Amino acid sequence: MVEPMVRRSEFTDGHFGLALFSDLHLGATDIQEQKLRDDLKRSCDENRRILINGDVVEAILPHDRKRYTPSRAMSLRDDVLNEQTYYAVDFLAPYVDYIDLIGDGNHEAALLKYNSYDIIGAICVLLNQKRPQSIGMIHRAGYQGYARYLIEYRKGHGNAFTIFHHHGVGGSAPVSKGMIDFNRIVYSHDADLYWVGHKHVGTHDPYVMRDRLTVGNKYELRRCHAVYTAGYKNGANFDKKGKGHNSHYSDQFYSMQACGYAVVDIYQNLNDKSIKSVEVISR
């Protein structure tokens, strides 16, 4: 597991916001690209910290006989991986000051395994060159891991909010909508928020309950959240593209997928400065 991300931040008027993205599939011909741009801009306008949980790029290469067709090509360039790297960097650059974390998905993991190219690492390095050093570097996360925000109300005093992120595995889960994976992850990890992508569904469980005895020997019942972020693949775009085999392959499958991201709103109790409530909403 890659080193966890730990960031210090602050409440603004009793509120701290996050925007959770996954499955951008940049470079694909079947994504809602304008919606993605609009959602990223909206997140910045709302002063949310942005985290991206894998499958940032499509990265279907010409030697992939199972998935590649000429209609998937971005251009006629030979240096396909360079093209996709710089395309992703240029796409994300307008939002770089708000991005805190980018992790691997199965598309990037395949590139590293079969082509010895760490495209997420390259994207993070290039984006960090465009980012003020005063706000720290974008954290290059792995396929799974932890991210923690230490939300301070004064120097050295604050609240920890912990996220366990996993890109996800397996098929689309059209019946369970990923709830089985939620239960597996919650069973073996401890966090305030459990976050998964990959299945292109927008499932949310707002009642993951945990109890414990605190260090002060007091009983505490804690409510946690689990959320899937859907991403931006959309079968409705196939017919509009009208390009080759890709225009009709799996239309019925993709038309049943969700599309979008999730926001997390953390509110402060102004009396004792603790976390008052957490809300997670799929958009």
Side-chain angles (χ1 to χ4, degrees), residues 130-148:
K130 302 175 181 290
R131 180 180 166 103
Q133 293 184 356
S134 59
I135 60 176
M137 295 192 300
I138 296 171
H139 181 77
R140 192 265 187 260
Y143 203 94
Q144 62 176 320
Y146 284 95
R148 170 171 285 176

Side-chain angles (χ1 to χ4, degrees), residues 246-262:
N246 197 31
S247 67
H248 60 81
Y249 177 69
S250 295
D251 283 8
Q252 292 295 321
F253 172 78
Y254 281 116
S255 67
M256 299 177 69
Q257 305 285 280
C259 186
Y261 69 118

Side-chain angles (χ1 to χ4, degrees), residues 6-59:
V6 179
R7 289 284 162 91
R8 295 186 180 275
S9 193
E10 298 178 351
F11 285 104
T12 301
D13 297 326
H15 173 261
F16 180 72
L18 301 172
L20 309 180
F21 290 81
S22 70
D23 301 277
L24 311 185
H25 291 278
L26 295 174
T29 59
D30 55 342
I31 64 168
Q32 289 199 28
E33 187 174 286
Q34 189 56 51
K35 175 174 171 52
L36 172 56
R37 292 183 190 275
D38 292 342
D39 289 347
L40 286 165
K41 182 179 184 303
R42 179 180 179 184
S43 300
C44 297
D45 292 343
E46 294 176 350
N47 196 32
R48 298 183 182 277
R49 305 310 302 170
I50 295 172
L51 298 90
I52 305 175
N53 191 6
D55 280 2
V56 179
V57 293
E58 179 77 340

